[in-house]
Amino acid sequence: MKILLLGARGMLGRDLQPVLSAQHEVIGRDIQDLDIADPGQVGAEIGKLRPDAVLNLAAFTDVDGCEFQRERAFSVNAQGAENVARASEAAGAKLIHLSTDYVFDGNSPIPYKEEASPHPLNAYGESKLEGERAVQAAGGNHLILRTAWLYGRHGKNFVDTILRLASQQEELRVVNDQKGSPTFTRDLSRAIAQLLERDPRGIIHVTNSGSCTWFEFTEKILTLKPPLDRRVRIVPISSSELNRPARRPAFSTLDCSRFERVTGRRMRNWEEGLQEYLS
Ligand SMILES: NC(=O)c1ccc[n+]([C@@H]2O[C@H](COP(=O)([O-])OP(=O)(O)OC[C@H]3O[C@@H](n4cnc5c(N)ncnc54)[C@H](OP(=O)(O)O)[C@@H]3O)[C@@H](O)[C@H]2O)c1
């Protein structure tokens, strides 16, 4: 298959490209070569390359930054998604579009299924939801893949931040009232490769299984990789104490049973993924 990977230099893209390249011809593009917010550029590139599949990972992913740069958030995450979806449809290419657990408000008592009603709490989630709707409206063969709480070797992420802070501070204050599923980009990359073969359509949720709060995630990170020379105290705090610009859902665990039906396997537990990442 000839695959066009958009957002190829991002955290997920850099893990996904080698996984897909083992079986497919992969052409990677990122903001330096192709701005997805520009419909002319997107149409010309997809029209010229004529890929069998387009994987759109490109996004403005700074959740707090989106609050202050709403225009950029919508231009990339919503208009950009629409540009990619229209051009993919015109070229007859299948589109896999990445989206987020932050389309939900976190009020559900149970993990979110694909058909649950979205209701984002922040500008990032709103812009990503508008992107999902544009992909659906374009009408081509598409799969919207919602994932969550990504970490990987090639990007700024929570695990590395905790390890760095733990080497500098004696106390870490970490939010204990947001629950989700930390997901290793290498595990997600293998899942995407599998979904490309199976070709399900519509929306699908894919994360590592199980869930925890950011505080519990921190405890696990520092149990698996304790600072060498001293003890670090981890203090649970509430989101209101942290007071970040963007509101986050209290509970954004995704129900991945559709993925399990489609692929015949369950994503491994987040703790196993973390163990591999830290080793
Ligand atoms: N990270 C998470 O926890 C998480 C959770 C749920 C869903 N997702 C979704 O998963 C996907 C991949 O996430 P990620 O963590 O790999 O993000 P990332 O590291 O920020 O990668 C996204 C890439 O897209 C590029 N980009 C930004 N604006 C662009 C534009 N206008 N045209 C073309 N490329 C552009 C970025 O370049 P710059 O870095 O120069 O801006 C970056 O290289 C995204 O769609 C994201 O919304 C992520």
Side-chain angles (χ1 to χ4, degrees):
M1 225 185 270
K2 184 176 181 181
I3 297 172
L4 175 61
L5 181 60
L6 302 173
R9 289 189 205 117
M11 183 167 67
L12 176 60
R14 287 180 64 189
D15 266 348
L16 181 56
Q17 183 147 7
V19 169
L20 295 179
S21 296
Q23 285 183 41
H24 305 282
E25 177 194 352
V26 183
I27 302 159
R29 294 283 183 270
D30 209 292
I31 181 80
Q32 298 85 346
D33 347 278
L34 175 66
D35 179 356
I36 65 162
D38 179 336
Q41 274 189 40
V42 175
E45 189 73 343
I46 295 181
K48 183 182 77 180
L49 295 171
R50 309 292 303 177
D52 301 298
V54 176
L55 269 59
N56 184 26
L57 282 48
F60 179 35
T61 56
D62 175 352
V63 176
D64 289 318
C66 285
E67 295 297 310
F68 305 109
Q69 298 178 68
R70 280 185 73 89
E71 207 174 307
R72 178 174 167 199
F74 280 83
S75 130
V76 180
N77 298 343
Q79 186 61 51
E82 177 173 344
N83 297 338
V84 173
R86 283 176 183 268
S88 303
E89 195 274 333
K94 176 188 177 65
L95 171 62
I96 297 186
H97 175 76
L98 267 286
S99 192
T100 171
D101 56 330
Y102 282 7
V103 297
F104 296 116
D105 62 15
N107 290 330
S108 172
I110 54 167
Y112 285 94
K113 284 189 186 291
E114 287 81 358
E115 59 274 18
S117 296
H119 179 226
L121 298 178
N122 54 46
Y124 170 71
E126 284 172 37
S127 64
K128 291 293 287 186
L129 178 60
E130 202 168 299
E132 287 189 5
R133 291 186 170 147
V135 168
Q136 289 164 330
N141 171 0
H142 68 267
L143 181 68
I144 292 166
L145 189 161
R146 293 193 189 122
T147 189
W149 292 31
L150 295 183
Y151 64 90
R153 284 173 305 151
H154 304 291
K156 189 168 161 268
N157 68 72
F158 184 81
V159 182
D160 293 353
T161 301
I162 290 298
L163 292 175
R164 180 174 48 79
L165 293 177
S167 72
Q168 299 165 348
Q169 300 175 8
E170 278 164 16
E171 183 180 286
L172 299 183
R173 294 161 61 76
V174 188
V175 166
N176 199 27
D177 58 4
Q178 293 169 28
K179 197 166 194 168
S181 304
T183 299
F184 184 21
T185 47
R186 280 177 71 173
D187 288 354
L188 181 59
S189 297
R190 291 184 205 113
I192 291 173
Q194 218 179 349
L195 289 170
L196 209 48
E197 305 298 331
R198 302 286 162 103
D199 198 24
R201 309 203 176 175
I203 304 179
I204 200 158
H205 289 171
V206 189
T207 63
N208 278 121
S209 58
S211 59
C212 60
T213 66
W214 293 111
F215 171 78
E216 291 162 343
F217 192 19
T218 303
E219 283 190 315
K220 190 71 191 180
I221 294 165
L222 296 183
T223 303
L224 290 171
K225 202 153 188 158
L228 291 178
D229 45 352
R230 63 220 164 75
R231 282 178 65 81
V232 175
R233 210 158 72 88
I234 313 166
V235 180
I237 61 165
S238 66
S239 303
S240 58
E241 281 175 85
L242 194 61
N243 197 22
R244 296 179 80 176
R247 274 179 77 201
R248 270 105 170 141
F251 175 82
S252 61
T253 305
L254 301 178
D255 180 322
C256 299
S257 51
R258 179 170 188 223
F259 174 81
E260 289 163 21
R261 284 195 301 280
V262 167
T263 61
R265 73 173 180 100
R266 189 174 161 77
M267 290 284 283
R268 65 178 164 172
N269 190 273
W270 66 269
E271 289 167 291
E272 288 174 56
L274 179 63
Q275 206 155 4
E276 183 182 317
Y277 179 72
L278 291 176
S279 65

